[in-house]
Amino acid sequence: MQETEYMMNEAYEEAKKGLIEGGIPIGSVLVHNGQVIGRGHNRRVQNNSAILHAEMDALENAGRQPATVYQKSTLYTTLSPCPMCSGAIMLYGIPRVVIGENSTFKGDEALLISRGVEIQVLNHPGCKELMQQFIQEEPKLWNEDIGE
């Protein structure tokens, strides 16, 4: 199994953890030199947080890193990053983002690309199925998370 597929599966496992915990099923891993240095999932519900999206959780769990680490890392996320998470990606200079799926929600990919971030969308069937099922079962919670 190639690294991209393996790491997206790691992010997908994080998304499933979030769902099991009663939260929103979005997962993320931050990878440097082929190693996961931070992993997380959306914990807004679990922690009563306004900002703990999966990408933010993965960055937080990676701990303080030198800029050179972020600048040579890839962020894997099961869903297209929202404006907040895109801002963090740009702030830390993360050069590559691999997205599980963006048909359920398309975040600020155009902004990231305009700032030189490489975007790869995998159209991962599990990521899409997980989100679609969640949105069908929890529309109020989904709309709260994306601000609609």
Side-chain angles (χ1 to χ4, degrees):
M1 179 183 304
Q2 77 180 105
E3 183 177 310
T4 298
E5 183 180 343
Y6 177 80
M7 294 304 178
M8 183 52 65
N9 285 336
E10 290 291 301
Y12 178 63
E13 290 301 316
E14 285 292 324
K16 291 194 298 188
K17 285 180 190 175
L19 184 63
I20 290 166
E21 294 172 1
I24 298 160
I26 304 169
S28 185
V29 293
L30 182 64
V31 177
H32 180 257
N33 289 335
Q35 299 294 317
V36 175
I37 61 170
R39 61 178 60 243
H41 49 274
N42 186 305
R43 295 180 196 254
R44 289 186 68 249
V45 174
Q46 301 91 313
N47 290 19
N48 196 31
S49 170
I51 62 170
L52 213 45
H53 285 188
E55 299 89 339
M56 304 298 275
D57 194 34
L59 286 166
E60 178 70 14
N61 291 328
R64 290 176 53 206
Q65 299 291 330
T68 54
V69 170
Y70 296 117
Q71 293 164 0
K72 294 179 182 172
S73 293
T74 299
L75 184 71
Y76 292 81
T77 182
T78 59
L79 189 65
S80 185
C82 76
M84 175 180 65
C85 296
S86 294
I89 291 163
M90 292 184 302
L91 176 68
Y92 290 108
I94 298 168
R96 182 170 180 251
V97 177
V98 179
I99 299 167
E101 67 103 351
N102 66 358
S103 60
T104 303
F105 173 78
K106 188 161 186 178
D108 273 352
E109 294 173 31
L111 175 61
L112 291 170
I113 291 167
S114 78
R115 297 290 183 94
V117 177
E118 177 191 340
I119 299 291
Q120 181 180 1
V121 180
L122 300 180
N123 296 311
H124 184 285
C127 294
K128 187 174 181 177
E129 183 179 309
L130 195 62
M131 283 309 305
Q132 287 178 341
Q133 182 177 350
F134 175 78
I135 291 168
Q136 184 177 348
E137 293 173 2
E138 297 284 351
K140 185 177 177 186
L141 187 54
W142 168 246
N143 289 329
E144 174 190 319
D145 195 55
I146 64 166
E148 290 187 6

